[in-house]
């Protein structure tokens, strides 16, 4: 059995004019994790985001355990040209 650490932390920051930013720090299960654990994680993530007021801006800081690879053209503005390997699904 592989033990995994899954973490979700949220922080709601007040801005001017009664607006808010919500920071979500998310550490997702690895690809080797049990499928039931992955489903539970994404269900909890969905529930968390649905509780955020619609007027709030959401900023997600994540580690979704993904491999982006070297295909930086597919991720312009997000991924630099120094990725490792190939892009996964």
């Amino acid at each position: 059995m592989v033990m995994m650490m899954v973490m979700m932390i949220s922080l709601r920051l007040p801005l001017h004019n009664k607006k808010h930013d919500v920071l979500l720090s998310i550490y997702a299960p690895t690809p080797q994790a049990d499928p039931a654990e992955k489903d539970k994680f994404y269900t909890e993530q969905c529930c968390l985001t649905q509780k955020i007021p619609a007027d709030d801006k959401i900023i997600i800081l994540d580690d979704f355990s993904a491999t982006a690879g070297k295909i930086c053209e597919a991720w312009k503005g997000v991924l630099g040209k120094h990725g490792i390997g190939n892009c996964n699904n």
Side-chain angles (χ1 to χ4, degrees), residues 31-87:
Q32 295 81 16
D34 178 55
E37 287 295 320
K38 292 180 197 178
D39 288 343
K40 179 181 174 195
F41 168 80
Y42 287 107
T43 298
E44 289 175 2
Q45 180 187 336
C46 185
C47 290
L48 177 64
T49 56
Q50 288 177 345
K51 291 178 184 178
I52 297 171
D55 291 340
D56 288 4
K57 294 196 185 233
I58 300 173
I59 300 169
I60 298 177
L61 313 167
D62 65 54
D63 177 356
F64 285 98
S65 299
T67 304
K70 291 183 180 180
I71 306 173
C72 61
E73 296 82 29
W75 296 92
K76 285 189 189 249
V78 178
L79 176 68
K81 61 182 178 179
H82 304 292
I84 299 171
N86 295 318
C87 207

Side-chain angles (χ1 to χ4, degrees), residues 1-55:
M1 173 183 249
V2 175
M3 295 295 290
M4 65 172 195
M5 175 148 168
V6 175
M7 180 174 58
M8 285 187 245
I9 300 171
S10 66
L11 175 65
R12 190 168 188 245
L13 301 170
L15 304 173
H16 62 86
N17 297 330
K18 298 183 181 181
K19 296 185 184 246
H20 293 84
D21 276 353
V22 177
L23 299 175
L24 300 177
S25 180
I26 300 172
Y27 184 82
T30 64
Q32 295 81 16
D34 178 55
E37 287 295 320
K38 292 180 197 178
D39 288 343
K40 179 181 174 195
F41 168 80
Y42 287 107
T43 298
E44 289 175 2
Q45 180 187 336
C46 185
C47 290
L48 177 64
T49 56
Q50 288 177 345
K51 291 178 184 178
I52 297 171
D55 291 340

